[in-house]
Amino acid sequence: MLSKVPEVTLYFWIIKILCTTVGETAADLLNENLGLGLTTTSLIMSVLLVVTLVLQFRARAYVPGVYWLAVVLISVVGTLVSDNLTDNLGVSLTVTTPVFAVLLAVAFAAWYASERTLSIHSIRTARREAFYWLAILFTFALGTSAGDLTAERLNLGYWVSALLFGALIAAVTAAHYWFRLGAVLAFWIAYVLTRPFGASIGDYLSQAKADGGLGLGTVGTSLLFLVTILALVTYLTVTRRDVAVVGEED
């Protein structure tokens, strides 16, 4: 198979952050605004994710529309996994955050033990792709718990949390370009951090002013970011500017 994931460009990070924002606001929209509840919302989105991942696995190369739809859906499902544990089962965010961190570390360890690489430039077999999407799911669940922990449990607020995680992303970027932090490690740290960063932005835009947000609502915020994602993915589908170089490794 050719590479099943996009090249890591500025477009990649922009769409990734937009997807994380949609994951937060869409989960709230379906769960609270439409009154579906966490359980029903989780079942519906999980089924949609499975169907999309089947299409993704059956593809022989990177298809922007299918790939980014899977990222949007896994963002929503990852959010719901964290929310179900905290809201339905009463598990504290101080517990879920380290637990998801450990699960992510285990997924990485199993991936590396099997494939001897964690580079996303090597996603050209079904087994590597399975490890990739499992790791992605845990990054979203971990990012959701970490973002909620800082914004709500630690009372930092949404915009302060966004600034905090944005600063951490900037630090990782600087460490990679100026202090020789490995590309693979830098990528995965940034990937985890963009989840709470995007979620904090989404919450800040959508939540009521009384709760520390701008009051744009989950409907308006979700539609705004979904339209932007669609425009960018359409552009990349036409231009193919994010197609990874075959055989490239980090």
Side-chain angles (χ1 to χ4, degrees), residues 18 51 65 67 70 74 98 103 106 122 138 149 155 161 178 196 237:
L18 293 173
V51 172
Y67 174 86
I74 208 167
L103 290 174
V106 170
S122 69
F138 286 142
L149 178 64
N155 295 317
S161 294
W178 296 324
T237 301

Side-chain angles (χ1 to χ4, degrees), residues 1-5 111 115-126 128-129 244-245 247-250:
M1 292 186 296
L2 299 177
S3 178
K4 299 292 293 294
V5 301
W111 183 356
E115 305 300 320
R116 311 310 298 177
T117 179
L118 299 178
S119 170
I120 69 165
H121 292 131
S122 69
I123 310 300
R124 293 189 293 273
T125 68
R128 289 183 179 185
E129 189 172 12
V245 178
E248 182 180 354
E249 293 282 352
D250 287 323

Side-chain angles (χ1 to χ4, degrees), residues 31-32 36-43 79-93 96:
N31 173 33
E32 299 173 5
L36 297 181
L38 275 175
T39 301
T40 302
T41 301
S42 299
L43 289 174
T79 299
L80 291 168
V81 169
S82 177
D83 288 348
N84 270 289
L85 288 174
T86 55
D87 296 342
N88 279 350
L89 300 180
V91 182
S92 172
L93 291 168
T96 59

Side-chain angles (χ1 to χ4, degrees), residues 132-157:
Y132 174 78
W133 288 109
L134 180 63
I136 294 298
L137 176 62
F138 286 142
T139 64
F140 279 113
L142 171 60
T144 299
S145 292
D148 289 345
L149 178 64
T150 57
E152 299 173 8
R153 185 65 181 272
L154 300 181
N155 295 317
L156 294 182

Side-chain angles (χ1 to χ4, degrees), residues 10-185:
L10 180 60
Y11 294 108
F12 176 93
W13 291 114
I14 291 174
I15 300 175
K16 165 60 167 64
I17 293 172
L18 293 173
C19 289
T20 66
T21 304
V22 169
E24 185 74 15
T25 58
D28 291 342
L29 171 63
L30 296 172
N31 173 33
E32 299 173 5
N33 295 66
L34 298 184
L36 297 181
L38 275 175
T39 301
T40 302
T41 301
S42 299
L43 289 174
I44 293 173
M45 300 310 295
S46 296
V47 169
L48 291 176
L49 174 60
V50 169
V51 172
T52 304
L53 285 178
V54 169
L55 296 176
Q56 169 68 20
F57 273 84
R58 292 184 65 180
R60 304 301 296 175
Y62 164 61
V63 180
V66 176
Y67 174 86
W68 286 112
L69 177 59
V71 174
V72 169
L73 291 173
I74 208 167
S75 175
V76 177
V77 171
T79 299
L80 291 168
V81 169
S82 177
D83 288 348
N84 270 289
L85 288 174
T86 55
D87 296 342
N88 279 350
L89 300 180
V91 182
S92 172
L93 291 168
T94 57
V95 174
T96 59
T97 301
V99 166
F100 285 133
V102 170
L103 290 174
L104 178 60
V106 170
F108 280 143
W111 183 356
Y112 189 81
S114 173
E115 305 300 320
R116 311 310 298 177
T117 179
L118 299 178
S119 170
I120 69 165
H121 292 131
S122 69
I123 310 300
R124 293 189 293 273
T125 68
R127 183 164 59 183
R128 289 183 179 185
E129 189 172 12
F131 279 122
Y132 174 78
W133 288 109
L134 180 63
I136 294 298
L137 176 62
F138 286 142
T139 64
F140 279 113
L142 171 60
T144 299
S145 292
D148 289 345
L149 178 64
T150 57
E152 299 173 8
R153 185 65 181 272
L154 300 181
N155 295 317
L156 294 182
Y158 301 122
W159 71 270
V160 174
S161 294
L163 289 176
L164 171 63
F165 288 110
L168 291 174
I169 293 169
V172 172
T173 303
H176 171 58
Y177 284 107
W178 296 324
F179 299 102
R180 299 183 180 180
L181 178 65
V184 174
L185 179 59

